[in-house]
Amino acid sequence: MDRQTRMKRLRFRAWHRGTKEADLLIGGFFDTHSANWSDQEVDWFETLLEEQDVDIMGWAIGSIAVPARWEGPMMTQLKALGYVPVAE
């Protein structure tokens, strides 16, 4: 599958998680950072999407310890949370 098709599929999966909170967190992360991802970072994100939303959200907000296999620069970006849109 070409990269453009893969990224469209990942964007859809990122924004259709099942809860609005997960959509905003995971979809917002994708929209903010994905344009500059390497193939390895795309692989990381694609694999992350296989995890449960409650775990991903817990890791991002710090209520659950991040497993060693997910630690690294991508998780650091995910934990920053500045990409989540906030209504004012």
Side-chain angles (χ1 to χ4, degrees):
M1 163 183 341
D2 66 82
R3 185 176 174 101
Q4 182 179 6
T5 302
R6 186 179 183 195
M7 296 303 282
K8 284 181 182 180
R9 288 183 179 189
L10 287 175
R11 184 175 194 282
F12 182 87
R13 289 181 63 201
W15 277 103
H16 295 86
R17 301 301 297 177
T19 66
K20 187 64 172 177
E21 294 83 0
D23 292 349
L24 291 170
L25 186 133
I26 299 167
F29 177 74
F30 179 87
D31 284 355
T32 300
H33 296 289
S34 64
N36 299 314
W37 285 347
S38 67
D39 289 341
Q40 293 79 18
E41 290 168 325
V42 171
D43 291 344
W44 183 94
F45 185 76
E46 189 169 36
T47 304
L48 180 74
L49 292 180
E50 299 301 321
E51 297 289 342
Q52 296 293 315
D53 291 349
V54 68
D55 293 331
I56 296 170
M57 293 174 65
W59 301 333
I61 65 172
S63 64
I64 302 172
V66 178
R69 69 184 177 147
W70 294 114
E71 283 291 359
M74 294 281 285
M75 184 56 69
T76 300
Q77 288 180 340
L78 183 72
K79 292 168 104 177
L81 300 178
Y83 52 85
V84 177
V86 177
E88 298 197 20

Coordinates of all heavy atoms in Angstrom, one line a residue:
M1 N 0.9 -1.2 0.0 CA 0.0 0.0 0.0 C 0.9 1.2 0.0 O 1.9 1.3 0.7 CB -0.9 -0.1 1.2 CG -1.5 1.2 1.7 SD -2.6 1.1 3.2 CE -2.9 -0.6 3.4
D2 N 0.5 2.2 -0.8 CA 1.4 3.4 -0.9 C 1.2 4.3 0.4 O 0.2 4.1 1.1 CB 1.0 4.2 -2.1 CG -0.4 4.8 -2.1 OD1 -0.6 5.8 -1.5 OD2 -1.3 4.2 -2.7
R3 N 2.1 5.2 0.7 CA 2.1 5.9 1.9 C 0.8 6.8 2.0 O 0.2 6.9 3.1 CB 3.3 6.8 2.0 CG 3.4 7.5 3.3 CD 4.7 8.3 3.5 NE 4.7 9.1 4.6 CZ 5.4 8.8 5.8 NH1 6.1 7.7 5.9 NH2 5.3 9.6 6.8
Q4 N 0.4 7.4 0.9 CA -0.8 8.3 1.0 C -2.0 7.5 1.4 O -2.8 8.0 2.3 CB -1.0 8.9 -0.4 CG -2.2 9.9 -0.3 CD -2.4 10.6 -1.7 OE1 -1.7 10.2 -2.7 NE2 -3.3 11.5 -1.7
T5 N -2.2 6.3 0.9 CA -3.4 5.5 1.3 C -3.3 5.1 2.7 O -4.2 5.1 3.5 CB -3.5 4.3 0.3 OG1 -3.6 4.8 -1.0 CG2 -4.7 3.4 0.7
R6 N -2.1 4.7 3.1 CA -1.8 4.2 4.5 C -2.1 5.4 5.5 O -2.8 5.1 6.5 CB -0.4 3.8 4.6 CG -0.1 3.2 6.0 CD 1.4 2.7 6.0 NE 1.7 2.1 7.3 CZ 2.9 1.8 7.7 NH1 4.0 2.2 7.0 NH2 3.1 1.3 8.9
M7 N -1.7 6.6 5.2 CA -1.9 7.7 6.1 C -3.4 8.0 6.1 O -3.9 8.4 7.2 CB -1.1 8.9 5.6 CG 0.4 8.7 5.7 SD 1.0 8.2 7.3 CE 1.0 9.7 8.2
K8 N -4.1 7.9 5.0 CA -5.6 8.2 5.1 C -6.3 7.2 6.0 O -7.2 7.5 6.7 CB -6.1 8.1 3.7 CG -5.8 9.3 2.8 CD -6.5 9.2 1.5 CE -6.1 10.4 0.6 NZ -6.7 10.3 -0.7
R9 N -5.9 5.9 5.9 CA -6.5 4.9 6.7 C -6.1 5.1 8.2 O -7.0 5.0 9.1 CB -6.0 3.5 6.3 CG -6.6 3.0 5.0 CD -6.1 1.7 4.7 NE -6.8 1.2 3.4 CZ -6.7 0.0 2.9 NH1 -6.1 -0.9 3.6 NH2 -7.3 -0.3 1.8
L10 N -4.9 5.5 8.5 CA -4.5 5.8 9.8 C -5.3 7.0 10.4 O -5.7 6.9 11.6 CB -3.0 6.0 9.9 CG -2.1 4.8 9.8 CD1 -0.6 5.1 9.8 CD2 -2.4 3.7 10.9
R11 N -5.4 8.0 9.6 CA -6.2 9.2 10.1 C -7.6 8.8 10.4 O -8.2 9.2 11.4 CB -6.2 10.3 9.0 CG -6.9 11.5 9.5 CD -6.8 12.7 8.5 NE -7.2 13.9 9.2 CZ -8.4 14.3 9.4 NH1 -9.4 13.5 9.1 NH2 -8.7 15.4 10.1
F12 N -8.2 8.0 9.5 CA -9.6 7.5 9.8 C -9.6 6.7 11.1 O -10.5 7.0 12.0 CB -10.1 6.6 8.7 CG -11.5 6.2 8.9 CD1 -12.6 7.0 8.5 CD2 -11.8 5.0 9.5 CE1 -13.9 6.6 8.7 CE2 -13.1 4.6 9.8 CZ -14.2 5.4 9.4
R13 N -8.7 5.8 11.3 CA -8.7 5.0 12.6 C -8.4 5.9 13.8 O -8.9 5.6 14.9 CB -7.6 3.9 12.4 CG -8.0 2.8 11.5 CD -6.9 1.7 11.4 NE -6.8 1.1 12.7 CZ -5.7 0.4 13.1 NH1 -4.7 0.3 12.2 NH2 -5.6 -0.2 14.2
A14 N -7.6 6.9 13.6 CA -7.2 7.8 14.7 C -8.5 8.6 15.2 O -8.6 8.9 16.3 CB -6.1 8.7 14.3
W15 N -9.3 9.0 14.2 CA -10.5 9.8 14.5 C -11.7 9.1 14.8 O -12.8 9.7 15.0 CB -10.7 10.9 13.4 CG -9.8 12.0 13.5 CD1 -8.7 12.3 12.8 CD2 -9.9 13.1 14.5 NE1 -8.1 13.5 13.3 CE2 -8.9 14.0 14.3 CE3 -10.9 13.4 15.5 CZ2 -8.7 15.2 15.0 CZ3 -10.7 14.6 16.2 CH2 -9.6 15.4 16.0
H16 N -11.7 7.8 14.7 CA -12.9 6.9 14.9 C -12.6 5.9 15.9 O -12.6 4.7 15.6 CB -13.4 6.4 13.5 CG -13.9 7.4 12.6 ND1 -13.0 8.1 11.8 CD2 -15.1 7.9 12.4 CE1 -13.7 8.9 11.1 NE2 -14.9 8.9 11.4
R17 N -12.4 6.3 17.1 CA -12.0 5.4 18.2 C -13.2 4.8 19.0 O -13.0 3.8 19.6 CB -11.0 6.0 19.1 CG -9.7 6.6 18.5 CD -9.0 5.5 17.8 NE -8.5 4.5 18.8 CZ -7.8 3.4 18.5 NH1 -7.5 3.1 17.2 NH2 -7.4 2.6 19.4
G18 N -14.3 5.5 19.1 CA -15.4 5.0 19.8 C -15.9 6.0 20.9 O -17.0 6.0 21.3
T19 N -15.0 6.9 21.4 CA -15.4 7.9 22.3 C -14.8 9.3 21.8 O -13.8 9.3 21.1 CB -14.8 7.7 23.7 OG1 -13.4 7.8 23.7 CG2 -15.3 6.4 24.3
K20 N -15.5 10.3 22.1 CA -15.1 11.6 21.6 C -13.7 12.0 22.2 O -12.9 12.6 21.6 CB -16.1 12.7 22.0 CG -15.8 14.1 21.4 CD -15.9 14.0 19.9 CE -15.8 15.4 19.3 NZ -15.8 15.4 17.9
E21 N -13.5 11.6 23.5 CA -12.2 11.9 24.2 C -11.1 11.3 23.5 O -10.0 11.9 23.2 CB -12.3 11.5 25.6 CG -13.3 12.3 26.5 CD -14.7 11.7 26.4 OE1 -15.0 10.8 25.6 OE2 -15.6 12.3 27.0
A22 N -11.2 10.0 23.1 CA -10.2 9.3 22.4 C -10.0 9.8 21.0 O -8.8 9.9 20.6 CB -10.5 7.8 22.4
D23 N -11.1 10.2 20.4 CA -10.9 10.8 19.0 C -10.1 12.0 19.1 O -9.2 12.2 18.3 CB -12.3 11.1 18.5 CG -13.2 9.9 18.1 OD1 -12.7 8.8 18.1 OD2 -14.4 10.1 17.9
L24 N -10.4 12.9 20.0 CA -9.7 14.2 20.2 C -8.2 14.0 20.5 O -7.3 14.6 19.9 CB -10.3 15.1 21.2 CG -11.7 15.6 20.8 CD1 -12.4 16.3 22.0 CD2 -11.6 16.6 19.6
L25 N -7.9 13.0 21.4 CA -6.6 12.8 21.8 C -5.8 12.1 20.7 O -4.7 12.6 20.3 CB -6.5 11.9 23.1 CG -5.1 11.7 23.6 CD1 -5.1 12.0 25.1 CD2 -4.6 10.4 23.3
I26 N -6.2 11.0 20.2 CA -5.5 10.2 19.2 C -5.6 10.9 17.8 O -4.5 11.0 17.1 CB -6.0 8.8 19.2 CG1 -5.8 8.2 20.6 CG2 -5.3 8.0 18.1 CD1 -6.5 6.9 20.8
G27 N -6.7 11.4 17.4 CA -6.9 12.0 16.2 C -6.1 13.4 16.1 O -5.5 13.7 15.1
G28 N -6.2 14.1 17.2 CA -5.5 15.4 17.3 C -4.0 15.2 17.2 O -3.3 15.9 16.6
F29 N -3.5 14.1 17.9 CA -2.1 13.8 17.8 C -1.7 13.5 16.4 O -0.7 14.0 15.9 CB -1.8 12.6 18.7 CG -0.4 12.1 18.7 CD1 0.6 12.8 19.3 CD2 0.0 10.9 18.0 CE1 2.0 12.4 19.3 CE2 1.3 10.5 18.0 CZ 2.3 11.2 18.6
F30 N -2.5 12.7 15.7 CA -2.2 12.3 14.3 C -2.1 13.6 13.4 O -1.2 13.8 12.7 CB -3.2 11.3 13.8 CG -3.0 11.0 12.3 CD1 -2.1 9.9 12.0 CD2 -3.6 11.7 11.3 CE1 -1.9 9.6 10.7 CE2 -3.3 11.3 10.0 CZ -2.5 10.3 9.7
D31 N -3.2 14.4 13.5 CA -3.2 15.6 12.7 C -2.1 16.5 12.9 O -1.6 17.1 12.0 CB -4.6 16.3 12.9 CG -5.7 15.6 12.2 OD1 -5.5 14.6 11.5 OD2 -6.9 16.1 12.4
T32 N -1.7 16.7 14.1 CA -0.6 17.6 14.5 C 0.8 17.1 14.1 O 1.6 17.9 13.6 CB -0.6 17.9 16.0 OG1 -1.9 18.4 16.4 CG2 0.5 18.8 16.4
H33 N 1.0 15.8 14.2 CA 2.4 15.3 14.0 C 2.7 14.5 12.8 O 3.8 14.3 12.4 CB 2.8 14.5 15.3 CG 2.9 15.4 16.5 ND1 3.8 16.3 16.8 CD2 2.0 15.4 17.6 CE1 3.6 16.9 17.9 NE2 2.5 16.4 18.4
S34 N 1.7 13.9 12.2 CA 1.9 12.8 11.2 C 2.6 13.3 9.9 O 3.3 12.5 9.3 CB 0.6 12.2 10.8 OG -0.3 13.1 10.2
A35 N 2.5 14.6 9.5 CA 3.0 15.0 8.3 C 4.6 14.9 8.2 O 5.1 14.7 7.2 CB 2.7 16.5 8.1
N36 N 5.2 14.9 9.4 CA 6.7 14.8 9.4 C 7.2 13.4 9.9 O 8.4 13.3 10.1 CB 7.2 15.9 10.4 CG 6.9 17.2 9.9 OD1 7.0 17.5 8.7 ND2 6.4 18.1 10.7
W37 N 6.3 12.4 10.0 CA 6.7 11.1 10.5 C 7.5 10.3 9.5 O 7.2 10.3 8.3 CB 5.5 10.3 10.9 CG 4.9 10.7 12.2 CD1 5.4 11.5 13.2 CD2 3.6 10.3 12.7 NE1 4.5 11.6 14.2 CE2 3.4 10.9 13.9 CE3 2.6 9.4 12.1 CZ2 2.2 10.7 14.6 CZ3 1.5 9.2 12.9 CH2 1.3 9.8 14.1
S38 N 8.5 9.7 10.0 CA 9.3 8.7 9.2 C 8.5 7.4 9.1 O 7.5 7.3 9.8 CB 10.6 8.4 9.9 OG 10.4 7.7 11.1
D39 N 9.0 6.5 8.3 CA 8.3 5.2 8.1 C 8.2 4.5 9.5 O 7.2 3.8 9.8 CB 9.0 4.4 7.1 CG 8.7 4.9 5.7 OD1 7.8 5.7 5.5 OD2 9.5 4.5 4.8
Q40 N 9.3 4.6 10.3 CA 9.3 3.9 11.6 C 8.3 4.5 12.5 O 7.7 3.8 13.3 CB 10.7 4.0 12.2 CG 11.8 3.2 11.4 CD 12.3 3.9 10.2 OE1 12.2 5.1 10.0 NE2 12.9 3.2 9.3
E41 N 8.1 5.8 12.5 CA 7.2 6.5 13.3 C 5.7 6.1 12.9 O 4.9 5.9 13.7 CB 7.4 8.0 13.3 CG 8.7 8.4 14.0 CD 9.1 9.8 13.8 OE1 8.9 10.3 12.7 OE2 9.7 10.4 14.8
V42 N 5.5 6.0 11.6 CA 4.2 5.6 11.1 C 3.9 4.2 11.6 O 2.8 3.9 12.1 CB 4.1 5.7 9.6 CG1 2.9 5.0 9.0 CG2 4.2 7.1 9.1
D43 N 4.9 3.3 11.5 CA 4.8 1.9 12.1 C 4.4 1.9 13.5 O 3.6 1.2 14.0 CB 6.1 1.1 11.9 CG 6.4 0.8 10.4 OD1 5.5 0.9 9.6 OD2 7.6 0.5 10.1
W44 N 5.1 2.8 14.3 CA 4.9 2.9 15.8 C 3.4 3.3 16.0 O 2.7 2.7 16.8 CB 5.8 3.9 16.4 CG 5.7 4.1 17.8 CD1 6.5 3.5 18.8 CD2 4.8 5.0 18.6 NE1 6.1 3.9 20.0 CE2 5.1 4.8 19.9 CE3 3.8 5.9 18.2 CZ2 4.4 5.5 20.9 CZ3 3.1 6.6 19.2 CH2 3.4 6.4 20.5
F45 N 3.0 4.3 15.3 CA 1.6 4.8 15.5 C 0.6 3.7 15.1 O -0.4 3.5 15.8 CB 1.4 6.1 14.7 CG 0.0 6.7 15.0 CD1 -0.3 7.3 16.2 CD2 -1.0 6.6 14.0 CE1 -1.5 7.9 16.4 CE2 -2.3 7.1 14.3 CZ -2.5 7.8 15.4
E46 N 0.8 3.1 14.0 CA -0.1 2.0 13.5 C -0.2 0.9 14.5 O -1.3 0.4 14.8 CB 0.4 1.5 12.2 CG -0.6 0.6 11.5 CD -0.2 0.3 10.0 OE1 1.0 0.2 9.8 OE2 -1.1 0.2 9.2
T47 N 0.9 0.5 15.1 CA 0.9 -0.5 16.2 C 0.2 0.0 17.4 O -0.6 -0.7 18.1 CB 2.3 -1.0 16.5 OG1 2.9 -1.4 15.2 CG2 2.3 -2.1 17.5
L48 N 0.4 1.3 17.8 CA -0.2 1.9 18.9 C -1.8 1.8 18.8 O -2.5 1.6 19.8 CB 0.2 3.3 19.1 CG -0.4 4.1 20.3 CD1 0.2 3.6 21.6 CD2 -0.3 5.6 20.1
L49 N -2.3 2.0 17.6 CA -3.7 1.9 17.4 C -4.3 0.6 17.7 O -5.6 0.5 17.9 CB -4.1 2.4 16.0 CG -3.8 3.8 15.6 CD1 -4.2 4.1 14.1 CD2 -4.5 4.8 16.5
E50 N -3.5 -0.4 17.9 CA -4.0 -1.7 18.2 C -4.3 -1.8 19.7 O -5.0 -2.7 20.2 CB -3.1 -2.8 17.8 CG -2.8 -2.9 16.3 CD -4.1 -3.2 15.5 OE1 -5.0 -4.0 16.0 OE2 -4.3 -2.5 14.5
E51 N -3.8 -0.9 20.5 CA -3.9 -0.9 22.0 C -5.3 -0.4 22.3 O -6.0 0.3 21.5 CB -2.9 0.0 22.6 CG -1.5 -0.5 22.4 CD -1.1 -1.7 23.2 OE1 -1.9 -2.1 24.2 OE2 -0.1 -2.4 22.9
Q52 N -5.7 -0.6 23.5 CA -7.0 -0.2 24.0 C -7.0 1.4 24.2 O -6.0 1.9 24.7 CB -7.4 -0.8 25.3 CG -7.6 -2.3 25.2 CD -8.8 -2.7 24.3 OE1 -9.9 -2.1 24.5 NE2 -8.7 -3.6 23.4
D53 N -8.1 2.0 23.9 CA -8.1 3.5 24.0 C -7.9 3.9 25.5 O -7.2 4.9 25.8 CB -9.5 4.0 23.6 CG -9.7 3.9 22.1 OD1 -8.7 3.6 21.4 OD2 -10.8 4.1 21.7
V54 N -8.4 3.2 26.4 CA -8.3 3.5 27.8 C -6.8 3.5 28.2 O -6.3 4.3 29.0 CB -9.2 2.6 28.7 CG1 -8.7 1.2 28.7 CG2 -9.2 3.2 30.1
D55 N -6.0 2.6 27.7 CA -4.6 2.5 28.0 C -3.9 3.6 27.3 O -3.1 4.3 28.0 CB -4.0 1.2 27.5 CG -4.5 0.0 28.3 OD1 -4.9 0.1 29.4 OD2 -4.6 -1.1 27.7
I56 N -4.1 3.9 26.1 CA -3.5 5.0 25.4 C -3.8 6.3 26.1 O -2.8 7.1 26.3 CB -3.9 5.1 23.9 CG1 -3.5 3.9 23.1 CG2 -3.4 6.4 23.2 CD1 -4.1 3.7 21.7
M57 N -5.0 6.5 26.5 CA -5.4 7.8 27.1 C -4.7 7.9 28.5 O -4.2 8.9 28.9 CB -6.9 7.9 27.2 CG -7.5 8.1 25.9 SD -9.3 8.1 25.9 CE -9.7 9.5 26.9
G58 N -4.7 6.7 29.2 CA -4.0 6.7 30.5 C -2.5 7.0 30.4 O -2.0 7.7 31.3
W59 N -1.9 6.5 29.4 CA -0.4 6.7 29.2 C -0.2 8.2 28.9 O 0.7 8.8 29.4 CB 0.1 5.9 28.1 CG 0.0 4.4 28.3 CD1 0.0 3.7 29.5 CD2 -0.1 3.4 27.3 NE1 -0.2 2.4 29.3 CE2 -0.2 2.2 27.9 CE3 -0.1 3.5 25.9 CZ2 -0.3 1.0 27.2 CZ3 -0.2 2.3 25.2 CH2 -0.3 1.0 25.8
A60 N -1.1 8.8 28.1 CA -1.0 10.2 27.7 C -1.1 11.1 28.8 O -0.4 12.1 28.9 CB -1.9 10.5 26.5
I61 N -2.1 10.9 29.7 CA -2.4 11.8 30.8 C -1.6 11.4 32.1 O -1.6 12.2 33.0 CB -3.9 11.9 31.1 CG1 -4.4 10.6 31.6 CG2 -4.6 12.4 29.9 CD1 -5.9 10.7 32.1
G62 N -0.9 10.3 32.1 CA 0.0 9.9 33.2 C -0.7 9.2 34.3 O -0.1 9.0 35.3
S63 N -1.9 8.7 34.1 CA -2.6 7.9 35.1 C -2.2 6.5 35.1 O -2.5 5.7 36.1 CB -4.1 8.1 35.0 OG -4.6 7.5 33.8
I64 N -1.6 6.0 34.0 CA -1.1 4.7 33.9 C 0.3 4.7 33.5 O 0.7 5.5 32.6 CB -1.9 3.9 32.9 CG1 -3.4 3.8 33.2 CG2 -1.4 2.4 32.7 CD1 -4.3 3.2 32.1
A65 N 1.2 3.9 34.1 CA 2.6 3.9 33.7 C 2.7 3.4 32.2 O 2.0 2.4 31.8 CB 3.4 2.9 34.6
V66 N 3.6 4.0 31.5 CA 3.8 3.6 30.1 C 4.7 2.4 30.0 O 5.8 2.4 30.6 CB 4.4 4.8 29.3 CG1 4.7 4.4 27.9 CG2 3.6 6.0 29.4
P67 N 4.3 1.3 29.4 CA 5.1 0.1 29.2 C 6.4 0.5 28.5 O 6.4 1.4 27.6 CB 4.3 -0.8 28.4 CG 2.8 -0.4 28.6 CD 2.9 1.1 28.8
A68 N 7.5 -0.1 28.8 CA 8.8 0.2 28.2 C 8.8 0.2 26.7 O 9.4 1.0 26.0 CB 9.8 -0.8 28.7
R69 N 8.0 -0.7 26.1 CA 8.0 -0.8 24.6 C 7.4 0.4 23.9 O 7.6 0.6 22.8 CB 7.2 -2.1 24.2 CG 5.8 -2.0 24.4 CD 5.1 -3.3 24.0 NE 3.7 -3.2 24.3 CZ 2.8 -3.8 23.6 NH1 3.1 -4.6 22.6 NH2 1.5 -3.7 24.0
W70 N 6.6 1.2 24.7 CA 6.0 2.4 24.1 C 6.8 3.7 24.4 O 6.5 4.7 23.9 CB 4.6 2.6 24.5 CG 3.7 1.5 24.0 CD1 3.1 0.5 24.7 CD2 3.4 1.2 22.6 NE1 2.4 -0.3 23.8 CE2 2.6 0.1 22.5 CE3 3.8 1.9 21.4 CZ2 2.1 -0.4 21.3 CZ3 3.3 1.4 20.2 CH2 2.5 0.2 20.2
E71 N 7.7 3.6 25.4 CA 8.5 4.8 25.8 C 9.4 5.3 24.6 O 9.8 4.5 23.8 CB 9.4 4.5 27.0 CG 8.7 4.4 28.3 CD 8.2 5.8 28.8 OE1 8.4 6.8 28.1 OE2 7.6 5.8 29.8
G72 N 9.6 6.6 24.5 CA 10.4 7.2 23.5 C 9.9 8.5 23.0 O 8.9 9.0 23.6
P73 N 10.4 9.1 22.0 CA 10.1 10.4 21.5 C 8.6 10.5 21.1 O 8.0 11.6 21.4 CB 11.0 10.7 20.3 CG 12.0 9.6 20.4 CD 11.6 8.5 21.2
M74 N 8.0 9.5 20.5 CA 6.6 9.6 20.1 C 5.7 9.6 21.3 O 4.8 10.4 21.3 CB 6.3 8.4 19.2 CG 7.0 8.3 17.9 SD 6.3 9.5 16.6 CE 4.8 8.6 16.2
M75 N 6.0 8.8 22.3 CA 5.2 8.9 23.5 C 5.3 10.2 24.2 O 4.4 10.7 24.8 CB 5.5 7.7 24.5 CG 4.7 7.6 25.7 SD 2.9 7.5 25.4 CE 2.7 5.9 24.6
T76 N 6.5 10.8 24.2 CA 6.7 12.1 24.8 C 5.9 13.1 24.1 O 5.2 14.0 24.8 CB 8.2 12.5 24.7 OG1 9.0 11.5 25.4 CG2 8.5 13.9 25.3
Q77 N 5.8 13.0 22.8 CA 4.9 14.0 22.0 C 3.4 13.7 22.4 O 2.7 14.7 22.5 CB 5.1 13.8 20.5 CG 6.4 14.3 20.0 CD 6.5 14.1 18.5 OE1 5.8 13.3 17.9 NE2 7.4 14.9 17.9
L78 N 3.1 12.5 22.5 CA 1.7 12.1 22.8 C 1.3 12.7 24.2 O 0.2 13.2 24.4 CB 1.5 10.6 22.8 CG 0.1 10.1 23.1 CD1 -0.8 10.4 21.9 CD2 0.1 8.6 23.3
K79 N 2.2 12.6 25.1 CA 2.0 13.0 26.5 C 1.9 14.6 26.6 O 1.4 15.1 27.6 CB 3.1 12.5 27.4 CG 3.0 11.0 27.6 CD 4.2 10.4 28.3 CE 3.9 10.1 29.7 NZ 5.1 9.5 30.4
A80 N 2.4 15.3 25.6 CA 2.4 16.8 25.7 C 1.0 17.3 25.7 O 0.8 18.4 26.3 CB 3.2 17.3 24.5
L81 N 0.1 16.7 25.0 CA -1.3 17.0 25.0 C -1.7 18.4 24.5 O -2.9 18.8 24.4 CB -2.0 16.9 26.4 CG -1.9 15.5 27.0 CD1 -2.5 15.5 28.4 CD2 -2.6 14.5 26.2
G82 N -0.7 19.2 24.0 CA -1.0 20.5 23.5 C -1.8 20.5 22.2 O -2.3 21.5 21.8
Y83 N -1.9 19.3 21.6 CA -2.6 19.2 20.3 C -4.1 18.9 20.5 O -4.8 18.9 19.5 CB -1.9 18.0 19.5 CG -1.9 16.8 20.3 CD1 -3.0 15.9 20.4 CD2 -0.7 16.5 21.0 CE1 -2.9 14.8 21.2 CE2 -0.7 15.3 21.8 CZ -1.8 14.5 21.9 OH -1.8 13.4 22.7
V84 N -4.5 18.7 21.7 CA -5.9 18.4 21.9 C -6.7 19.7 21.9 O -6.4 20.6 22.7 CB -6.2 17.7 23.3 CG1 -7.6 17.5 23.5 CG2 -5.4 16.4 23.3
P85 N -7.7 19.8 21.0 CA -8.4 21.1 20.9 C -9.3 21.3 22.1 O -9.9 20.3 22.6 CB -9.3 20.9 19.6 CG -9.3 19.5 19.4 CD -8.1 18.9 20.0
V86 N -9.3 22.4 22.7 CA -10.1 22.7 23.9 C -11.1 23.8 23.5 O -10.7 24.9 23.1 CB -9.2 23.2 25.0 CG1 -10.0 23.5 26.3 CG2 -8.2 22.1 25.3
A87 N -12.4 23.6 23.8 CA -13.4 24.6 23.6 C -13.3 25.7 24.6 O -13.1 25.4 25.8 CB -14.8 24.0 23.6
E88 N -13.5 26.9 24.2 CA -13.4 28.0 25.2 C -14.7 28.7 25.4 O -15.6 28.7 24.6 CB -12.3 29.0 24.7 CG -11.0 28.3 24.7 CD -9.9 29.3 24.6 OE1 -10.1 30.5 25.0 OE2 -8.8 28.9 24.2

